[in-house]
Amino acid sequence: MNEEVIMLKRIFVIFSIFCSFFLVSCTAEIEMTLKDNGEIEVRFEGMSDAAFSNLIKTASGMEEGDVVFDVNAITYELVKNGFLAVKVESKQGTDISISMIEKTGKTIFFDSGVIEKNKDELKIKLTPENVLEFYKKSDEQIKVFLDMLIAPIFNEEIMTEQEYLETVSSFYGESVSDELKDSKFRIILNQKKNKVLRELNTSEILTLKEIIEIS
């Protein structure tokens, strides 16, 4: 296997991880539990709908019948990026379930400022600045794929959600735009003293203009 093919496969794996956390269609759910020892248990579940799956496959040069998520490769990349006890499952190829432990506080989520932690609670803080920082800290090859999303927040532009969805529709068609419109991201934080649940539209994150704090 030549170096170019290996690189393309690696790019797709990392892009799949990003998509699984932020961009799968329907409702994706991430649950974080702060343990007494300071570790964070992370559980994620989501599924990509047809149009978005096809977009990913086209971007990565995959053929019909290939699964969207390579669980072994995703496991490898998450471990490589500092997560522990990683377990990744995909029963249908377009669904994904991930469980892992964040122990170091040095993964990209903390480095970008998206997640903060003190003794008793976790805080998710989404701002145009730290979501953009998340993008900037990503591998250059990942950015090539993220740029395909033409998301205003990655380009320091201002759009309404409707304007963004119309832009996506003009580039990729109504099916991708409709899936993105219906895409939800549910966040559950199990704090030491309480439980917090918040659901956001994915398009809201990608056109973020104000600060969203969840704690």
Side-chain angles (χ1 to χ4, degrees):
M1 186 179 296
N2 62 43
E3 292 184 2
E4 183 178 357
V5 173
I6 293 173
M7 178 60 72
L8 284 173
K9 285 184 175 292
R10 182 174 180 274
I11 292 170
F12 174 66
V13 168
I14 301 173
F15 182 58
S16 295
I17 294 171
F18 183 90
C19 288
S20 71
F21 275 105
F22 290 102
L23 301 172
V24 287
S25 297
C26 299
T27 299
E29 179 175 288
I30 186 167
E31 182 174 12
M32 298 184 181
T33 302
L34 180 60
K35 309 300 289 185
D36 289 336
N37 61 5
E39 294 179 353
I40 303 171
E41 289 186 356
V42 181
R43 177 190 62 81
F44 173 84
E45 293 183 356
M47 177 174 286
S48 179
D49 280 347
F52 199 78
S53 296
N54 290 334
L55 177 60
I56 298 173
K57 289 180 179 181
T58 299
S60 58
M62 298 184 72
E63 298 180 356
E64 186 66 30
D66 289 340
V67 297
V68 173
F69 300 113
D70 184 331
V71 296
N72 293 326
I74 291 175
T75 300
Y76 173 80
E77 289 294 337
L78 288 171
V79 171
K80 182 179 176 181
N81 282 276
F83 294 97
L84 305 175
V86 177
K87 183 178 180 181
V88 183
E89 295 181 322
S90 182
K91 297 180 180 179
Q92 301 175 39
T94 56
D95 66 306
I96 191 165
S97 174
I98 300 173
S99 62
M100 57 191 176
I101 294 175
E102 211 294 340
K103 184 177 182 179
T104 65
K106 296 179 180 179
T107 61
I108 190 172
F109 301 109
F110 283 94
D111 287 345
S112 63
V114 171
I115 298 177
E116 299 175 0
K117 179 182 72 172
N118 62 33
K119 183 179 179 181
D120 295 317
E121 71 173 18
L122 297 171
K123 176 189 285 187
I124 291 181
K125 186 176 182 179
L126 300 177
T127 71
E129 292 77 20
N130 67 22
V131 175
L132 178 61
E133 186 67 14
F134 182 95
Y135 166 81
K136 289 181 177 179
K137 286 181 178 293
S138 298
D139 183 276
E140 288 299 320
Q141 297 297 333
I142 301 176
K143 291 178 184 177
V144 174
F145 283 97
L146 298 185
D147 289 341
M148 290 178 56
L149 297 169
I150 51 180
I153 198 164
F154 298 144
N155 297 299
E156 299 184 78
E157 297 177 358
I158 297 176
M159 285 187 189
T160 65
E161 289 183 59
Q162 184 59 37
E163 288 172 337
Y164 172 55
L165 292 170
E166 289 174 357
T167 301
V168 171
S169 179
S170 68
F171 270 78
Y172 302 119
E174 290 187 13
S175 57
V176 173
S177 178
D178 288 345
E179 286 183 7
L180 186 58
K181 179 180 179 180
D182 294 336
S183 177
K184 305 287 185 182
F185 191 68
R186 182 182 297 126
I187 299 170
I188 301 172
L189 299 180
N190 294 312
Q191 315 281 31
K192 292 185 179 181
K193 297 180 180 179
N194 66 322
K195 181 175 181 177
V196 179
L197 187 151
R198 180 77 176 271
E199 188 171 278
L200 304 171
N201 293 329
T202 300
S203 56
E204 179 182 1
I205 298 173
L206 296 178
T207 58
L208 190 64
K209 303 176 189 65
E210 300 177 352
I211 296 174
I212 297 176
E213 292 188 350
I214 305 170
S215 63

